[in-house]
Amino acid sequence: TSAIGEARAEAGLDAFDLIGFDACLMADYAATYLARDQSRYFVASEEFEPGHGWDYRVFSRLVDEPGVDGSELGRAILAGFAAQAREERTEMAITLALFDLERVG
């Protein structure tokens, strides 16, 4: 979390709106708990992710809608990932989730 905290401080932010990990096994309680002081929302997968990973085209939304909030962007990440998993026939292997970190104690 120190690297994330340093990046947040350098950007002059009290917290990020969204932090996400396109990596396997990142949605455990420890990672979620540590992210709660750095961001409002968190996107991560509990299990192994299929090799195709996220559909990064979703981030073009930040150009089209710079004011999109973390919840909306997180939902778009989930939807893009699920659509890509259906295309790749890996939908039974995905566990990507969006967490509201204000609810993590």
Side-chain angles (χ1 to χ4, degrees):
T1 60
S2 64
I4 294 171
E6 289 173 21
R8 182 186 43 75
E10 189 169 316
L13 300 172
D14 292 331
F16 287 111
D17 207 28
L18 175 73
I19 293 175
F21 292 124
D22 186 7
C24 303
L25 308 171
M26 294 303 294
D28 64 4
Y29 185 74
T32 306
Y33 186 80
L34 291 171
R36 82 191 191 295
D37 291 331
Q38 306 295 336
S39 182
R40 169 69 197 275
Y41 297 98
F42 182 61
V43 173
S45 184
E46 178 183 9
E47 297 291 336
F48 291 101
E49 285 194 357
H52 55 74
W54 295 4
D55 182 354
Y56 281 88
R57 292 174 293 186
V58 71
F59 292 103
S60 65
R61 185 166 179 185
L62 293 171
V63 175
D64 299 335
E65 299 174 54
V68 66
D69 73 12
S71 176
E72 291 176 56
L73 184 58
R75 288 186 177 109
I77 291 168
L78 296 180
F81 185 68
Q84 186 167 291
R86 281 189 298 278
E87 290 172 16
E88 298 287 330
R89 300 189 186 275
T90 59
E91 67 269 19
M92 297 303 290
I94 62 172
T95 61
L96 195 66
L98 173 65
F99 300 88
D100 180 344
L101 296 175
E102 288 187 351
R103 303 187 73 147
V104 174

